[in-house]
Amino acid sequence: MLKPKKSLGQNFLIDQIVLNRILEAVNPKKEDKFFEIGSGKGALTKKLILKVESIESVEIDKDLIPGLKKLKLISPEFKVHEDSILNLELNKLSQGKFKFRVIGNLPYNLSSRIMLWSFKNSANILDLHYMFQKEFGKRLVSSPGNKSYGRLTVLTQYLFDSIDLFEVHPDSFNPKPTVESIFIKFKPKLERDFHSKEALKLQELTQLMFSKRRKMISTSCKSLISPNDFTNLGINPKDRPESLSIKDFIKITKYLLNKKNG
Ligand code: SAM
């Protein structure tokens, strides 16, 4: 028996009820192209393979690869990449021909980096279903005014629509994580692109504001925008960044881009 590797965030899903609930929420169709992050011992992979024709996955742990390769007996089309998700680019895998449905019971220590990877790859993604540590997942779907509302929240909600589907108890995993988990669906907003000028400016702006989140936005952004201009945009210059809506962030971003061009 292989010992689960804590450093790789290995908490394997063992609860059939939860696995079936995931499947029901994801609702895989035969013609879907799935991409799974961190297949582990294949708990989810096995379920998906029976439903869809095309599934690729990535698993970093060499010890788990032989077990996953056996799944080719069920579906010869199944392909597992022995790599880190952070090294893969979906457009290279699909050659720009289709979009993936991405799914993963994520290694929790990589959640932020996998979100960033998802932002970068969003043009090749139809939807995403991720299991996170609950506290982290809640940050992504947080609303203005909450302590957990931060830079990652703004970027996530700028790029994706999201629904938090359900919470999962530690007992559903082996080994049991010390934290509760949450399963969330994201759908990329078609009009948004992480590499656009607007998104790049938004990244700069959120970096500036949230690195000094206790300061009023007129103070943290003093070099960029005057208090009067905030007021003209209908935004209180005395606000802290966590009280701004995504729409406010977009308004300020557009203003900064126009100002530069004007
Ligand atoms: N999908 C399986 C399940 O639900 O039982 C395993 C989930 S486990 C929480 C996370 C998996 O991600 C582990 O198998 C781990 O080895 C793998 N992993 C960790 N870091 C990774 C990385 N950088 N790239 C790809 N897989 C990774």
Side-chain angles (χ1 to χ4, degrees):
M1 265 300 247
L2 293 170
K3 207 170 165 239
K5 299 177 177 108
K6 208 173 167 189
S7 62
L8 295 179
Q10 291 183 349
N11 297 98
F12 301 111
L13 260 171
I14 50 163
D15 185 336
Q16 290 303 316
I17 296 177
V18 172
L19 281 159
N20 288 336
R21 206 162 166 206
I22 289 177
L23 217 67
E24 202 177 302
V26 173
N27 189 18
K29 302 276 187 312
K30 202 169 157 204
E31 63 278 13
D32 290 339
K33 313 272 187 200
F34 269 87
F35 183 82
E36 189 191 7
I37 300 175
S39 278
K41 294 181 181 173
L44 254 173
T45 331
K46 280 177 209 157
K47 300 246 173 212
L48 282 169
I49 261 181
L50 297 174
K51 297 264 175 195
V52 304
E53 278 172 1
S54 168
I55 169 160
E56 292 187 37
S57 84
V58 59
E59 175 52 63
I60 201 169
D61 186 350
K62 289 192 171 15
D63 294 336
L64 298 174
I65 299 293
L68 290 170
K69 284 198 169 154
K70 284 190 189 143
L71 297 178
K72 277 180 171 291
L73 295 173
I74 309 175
S75 167
E77 300 295 311
F78 173 61
K79 189 170 174 186
V80 54
H81 300 268
E82 193 177 330
D83 205 334
S84 167
I85 176 61
L86 304 174
N87 294 332
L88 296 187
E89 289 175 36
L90 290 182
N91 68 340
K92 291 202 176 141
L93 302 185
S94 71
Q95 297 175 330
K97 288 187 184 145
F98 58 85
K99 293 189 184 194
F100 285 100
R101 299 194 70 191
V102 178
I103 187 165
N105 169 22
L106 299 185
Y108 293 166
N109 53 341
L110 283 191
S111 299
S112 293
R113 294 180 72 189
I114 293 177
M115 281 312 285
L116 191 63
W117 174 90
S118 311
F119 297 162
K120 289 183 183 158
N121 284 276
S122 68
N124 296 284
I125 295 174
L126 200 63
D127 60 14
L128 300 135
H129 287 85
Y130 286 157
M131 182 83 76
F132 299 107
Q133 173 175 351
K134 183 172 150 188
E135 199 183 320
F136 180 90
K138 284 277 181 197
R139 260 170 66 194
L140 304 179
V141 296
S142 180
S143 330
N146 279 314
K147 262 203 187 134
S148 60
Y149 187 82
R151 183 167 188 249
L152 202 55
T153 322
V154 176
L155 298 179
T156 302
Q157 295 183 20
Y158 172 77
L159 290 166
F160 301 150
D161 288 313
S162 50
I163 315 173
D164 49 338
L165 293 168
F166 51 87
E167 295 177 11
V168 183
H169 193 267
D171 285 346
S172 298
F173 302 87
N174 182 36
K176 275 190 210 178
T178 48
V179 291
E180 298 272 330
S181 301
I182 191 164
F183 192 60
I184 303 184
K185 172 179 183 169
F186 303 96
K187 207 163 166 54
K189 295 181 180 174
L190 289 178
E191 71 278 18
R192 302 271 160 82
D193 168 10
F194 188 60
H195 306 285
S196 70
K197 277 189 185 164
E198 187 177 277
L200 292 174
K201 188 51 88 185
L202 178 68
Q203 289 171 60
E204 275 176 40
L205 179 70
T206 49
Q207 173 72 42
L208 191 65
M209 284 189 177
F210 283 104
S211 63
K212 296 174 184 154
R213 64 182 293 146
R214 298 197 168 274
K215 297 214 164 144
M216 293 187 293
I217 53 172
S218 55
T219 309
S220 58
C221 295
K222 154 163 109 219
S223 59
L224 292 180
I225 176 165
S226 71
N228 260 346
D229 288 341
F230 272 123
T231 311
N232 289 340
L233 291 172
I235 296 167
N236 184 347
K238 292 187 174 165
D239 272 348
R240 307 287 191 282
E242 68 257 31
S243 38
L244 302 188
S245 67
I246 308 296
K247 275 192 182 152
D248 291 333
F249 278 104
I250 296 174
K251 252 197 247 175
I252 304 169
T253 302
K254 286 194 190 298
Y255 165 86
L256 292 174
L257 285 172
N258 287 334
K259 187 176 143 195
K260 214 171 130 199
N261 294 334

